[in-house]
Amino acid sequence: MDILLARQPIVDRIGAVDAFELLYRSVKQMNVFDGDLATMDVLTNTLVHMGVEHVAEGKKLFVNFTADLLKSDLIHYLDPKRFVIEILETVDIDTEMLSVLHSWKEAGFTLALDDFVTDLLRQHGTELFALIDLIKIDIEAIPTREQSAILHIVRRNYPHIKMLAERVETHEDHTRCLDMGYDWFQGYFYAKPMLMKGKAVPPQLPVLLKMLKWLDTDEKYDEVIDEIEANPYISIQVLQLINSPGMGLRNTVSSVRQAISLLGFSQLKSWISLIVLREMKLASPYEWSNELL
């Protein structure tokens, strides 16, 4: 099975690449774009099929997060030293979400506000912006004068926040954004998103669903291990998960049994649930599949 992923460089004021934003690409396009599925696909392809070190090349990786994914268990599976969490403009910043963002911040993640609008400055104060490390501004969507006002307010009231200009398309855009004092830059002027290709072995959904049922109890411990060891797709994912930098292990784990012992049934169930959801949503053409899932 072919898999696709795109990444676009984010550069500093001297043009050095500091990070990449990961972007969803797929051989099979979704009829209706699903932000949750797109991000799950990006993360699965990065962490499992291509390898985070190959994709990142030592840089930080920006990934878009919806409200549902911010509230999910993904906080436990990602390396805060590698991933920057982009909070989409569709996320409603209320009391519950502020608490969720606080959890991500406590876990050590860098938080970025995507497609920033002036209303956020009017509606929120220190409670939100103390948690934010970076603000992305679409220079095509916001007039230059309004951009200047936003930069001035942020620098004056929240000096820890860095500013990123996105959709920088021309040399004139680049020069103007430099003069305005942006810290980072992203757009076609520097580089278009680069397509990365890979191969993935399709999972066996019946096996995954059977394991999810078994994972409700400790009684099926040996059966779960046998199924995983017999399925190369799942074995590779479990071993790559346990050996990812976010797990903090000093030595490489090469045994599925040892990996499951270290992960525990709870984390293993969460990871398999994510794979099942992703694959079922990709496989189903029906609009009611979301409700059933």
Side-chain angles (χ1 to χ4, degrees):
M1 181 173 70
D2 293 325
I3 56 170
L4 298 176
L5 178 72
R7 66 179 193 185
Q8 187 173 28
I10 293 171
V11 305
D12 63 15
R13 290 183 61 83
I14 62 172
V17 177
D18 269 359
F20 295 105
E21 178 172 3
L22 299 184
L23 304 166
Y24 171 79
R25 297 290 187 271
S26 177
V27 176
K28 177 183 177 182
Q29 295 298 323
M30 290 181 274
N31 292 330
V32 179
F33 185 77
D34 184 325
D36 290 349
L37 176 58
T39 294
M40 287 191 293
D41 197 70
V42 163
L43 290 174
T44 303
N45 291 341
T46 300
L47 293 167
V48 177
H49 302 307
M50 296 184 183
V52 67
E53 295 306 324
H54 170 66
V55 174
E57 295 184 0
K59 313 296 183 185
K60 287 210 169 191
L61 300 173
F62 283 59
V63 180
N64 291 332
F65 267 66
T66 64
D68 286 342
L69 292 181
L70 286 167
K71 297 173 185 177
S72 74
D73 289 339
L74 285 174
I75 188 173
H76 303 301
Y77 303 126
L78 301 179
D79 180 4
K81 295 180 181 178
R82 180 67 70 206
F83 289 95
V84 175
I85 309 304
E86 280 197 54
I87 304 159
L88 290 171
E89 68 277 9
T90 55
V91 174
D92 185 22
I93 307 295
D94 55 16
T95 302
E96 180 189 8
M97 183 52 62
L98 285 170
S99 177
V100 169
L101 295 180
H102 188 76
S103 297
W104 283 89
K105 189 68 177 178
E106 281 193 331
F109 287 91
T110 299
L111 300 182
L113 288 176
D114 190 31
D115 285 342
F116 187 81
V117 293
T118 311
D119 284 349
L120 285 174
L121 285 171
R122 299 191 187 105
Q123 296 168 3
H124 301 282
T126 305
E127 193 173 9
L128 170 62
F129 293 105
L131 302 172
I132 301 303
D133 301 284
L134 184 144
I135 288 174
K136 297 183 72 174
I137 292 183
D138 182 342
I139 66 167
E140 292 292 322
I142 298 179
T144 301
R145 182 174 296 181
E146 188 175 339
Q147 292 178 50
S148 297
I150 293 172
L151 265 69
H152 175 73
I153 293 170
V154 171
R155 285 198 198 98
R156 183 185 64 198
N157 297 305
Y158 313 105
H160 68 283
I161 295 178
K162 302 297 183 181
M163 305 298 294
L164 187 154
E166 58 181 342
R167 291 184 68 187
V168 180
E169 311 291 285
T170 65
H171 183 270
E172 289 74 16
D173 290 340
H174 168 74
T175 302
R176 183 174 66 255
C177 290
L178 271 176
D179 292 342
M180 292 174 68
Y182 281 99
D183 303 288
W184 283 307
F185 311 84
Q186 180 181 0
Y188 282 12
F189 175 71
Y190 313 102
K192 293 184 178 181
M194 182 184 77
L195 194 64
M196 305 182 75
K197 299 180 180 180
K199 292 283 186 180
V201 179
Q204 300 175 24
L205 280 177
V207 175
L208 289 166
L209 291 169
K210 180 167 61 176
M211 281 196 291
L212 279 178
K213 184 173 179 62
W214 285 350
L215 287 167
D216 281 331
T217 171
D218 292 341
E219 296 175 3
K220 298 287 187 176
Y221 185 83
D222 290 328
E223 286 89 340
V224 170
I225 293 177
D226 290 342
E227 287 285 0
I228 291 177
E229 288 181 330
N231 190 308
Y233 176 89
I234 307 172
S235 296
I236 290 171
Q237 297 209 44
V238 169
L239 290 173
Q240 290 193 342
L241 173 62
I242 195 67
N243 289 308
S244 65
M247 300 303 293
L249 299 181
R250 293 184 178 180
N251 300 316
T252 300
V253 176
S254 57
S255 160
V256 169
R257 184 174 292 271
Q258 183 186 5
I260 294 173
S261 175
L262 291 168
L263 279 173
F265 263 28
S266 177
Q267 285 202 52
L268 183 64
K269 183 173 183 178
S270 295
W271 190 246
I272 291 177
S273 297
L274 178 65
I275 299 170
V276 168
L277 179 62
R278 172 182 178 269
E279 296 301 327
M280 288 185 74
K281 291 184 78 172
L282 282 172
S284 174
Y286 300 110
E287 294 181 2
W288 42 257
S289 62
N290 286 340
E291 283 69 33
L292 286 180
L293 290 168

